[in-house]
Amino acid sequence: MKFGQSDVDALLNYWPRLRRAPVTRDGFASIVGTLGFSMAPAGLPLIEDSYSIRLEVPTKTSANAPQVFETGGRITRHIDNHVFTNGALCLGSPWMLRRIIGTPPDLVTFVNQCVVPFLYSASCRERNGGELPFSELTHGKAGLLDDYEQILGLQGAKSVSLALLAISQRHRVANKNACPCGCGRRLGTCDFRWKLARLRSDASRAFFRSMGNDFRAA
């Protein structure tokens, strides 16, 4: 995915306390500033809070969603806080993020539906301690497996890996593979091929190829 000038403008119009950083990396637009929110999910308390953040938004085609960093030092860099060692927030699996962001990708939706709920959870933990208010994605490959099983309607790493391989291939190649659903037939003779056909619209074959490689290597 990639985002253009109009996407960044829309984000800055929606969140006026964010601004473009004066220095950016090649292929990325850096957005910095304060993200203030008021959120009260069903059955959970109202929280009004704000965080200093930096977004690294890809402006050239990338397999990954924008990276988000909390820069005020409130969220410790630790996997239990769903923060990677480089400081980037772990907002979800690549495929789930892609499905939320949509096609074409919407930067405002990404911040509103991925970043703000993460910060709300961090504020809940900071104020009340204990578990996060939303279900947590398990760390590492187990977390990816949970998300991909949910999207695909499959169970087990082998089935998910076969599905990711198939969805990264052309139809005529994928249809010769064993069906990931475990029916024992070729994909081209199983109704599961129709589900994969619908999911192909989520992203390019290159995205699914990269995602499948990362999943198998995890």
Side-chain angles (χ1 to χ4, degrees):
M1 70 180 70
K2 67 177 180 179
F3 298 88
Q5 186 69 40
S6 61
D7 299 306
V8 174
D9 289 342
L11 179 68
L12 299 183
N13 286 334
Y14 194 99
W15 294 100
R17 296 174 70 187
L18 298 178
R19 65 187 187 280
R20 293 177 179 82
V23 178
T24 62
R25 292 189 293 144
D26 182 46
F28 291 87
S30 291
I31 308 299
V32 298
T34 301
L35 190 64
F37 63 88
S38 176
M39 187 176 182
L44 294 171
L46 168 68
I47 289 182
E48 296 181 355
D49 207 343
S50 62
Y51 285 82
S52 298
I53 65 167
R54 184 178 89 253
L55 286 85
E56 294 293 332
V57 179
T59 55
K60 297 181 180 178
T61 301
S62 169
N64 299 316
Q67 284 193 310
V68 184
F69 302 81
E70 188 273 315
T71 57
R74 289 177 59 185
I75 306 176
T76 305
R77 293 189 184 187
H78 193 281
I79 194 63
D80 287 342
N81 291 328
H82 297 274
V83 181
F84 295 116
T85 54
N86 69 348
L89 308 183
C90 178
L91 302 172
S93 70
W95 197 356
M96 189 64 77
L97 291 176
R98 175 64 69 112
R99 290 172 66 82
I100 292 172
I101 294 170
T103 304
D106 188 312
L107 194 54
V108 173
T109 296
F110 169 70
V111 171
N112 291 353
Q113 297 189 22
C114 300
V115 182
V116 170
F118 182 101
L119 298 177
Y120 174 91
S121 296
S123 293
C124 279
R125 172 174 278 180
E126 184 180 74
R127 296 180 185 194
N128 305 318
E131 297 181 357
L132 296 173
F134 307 121
S135 59
E136 295 186 56
L137 189 68
T138 308
H139 304 316
K141 187 171 184 175
L144 296 178
L145 180 61
D146 286 344
D147 261 5
Y148 298 161
E149 285 179 333
Q150 178 183 337
I151 295 169
L152 290 161
L154 297 174
Q155 290 188 338
K158 180 178 179 181
S159 292
V160 167
S161 185
L162 287 173
L164 293 177
L165 174 63
I167 206 170
S168 72
Q169 297 173 321
R170 295 183 183 276
H171 291 272
R172 65 176 180 272
V173 176
N175 285 342
K176 297 176 183 178
N177 299 344
C179 184
C181 78
C183 65
R185 301 188 304 229
R186 290 187 300 106
L187 174 61
T189 63
C190 180
D191 286 346
F192 186 73
R193 71 186 186 277
W194 303 119
K195 181 162 192 173
L196 280 187
R198 292 191 296 272
L199 292 172
R200 287 176 188 274
S201 63
D202 284 353
S204 66
R205 289 199 307 273
F207 171 82
F208 287 118
R209 189 177 306 115
S210 174
M211 193 174 68
N213 291 337
D214 290 343
F215 178 75
R216 287 185 286 273

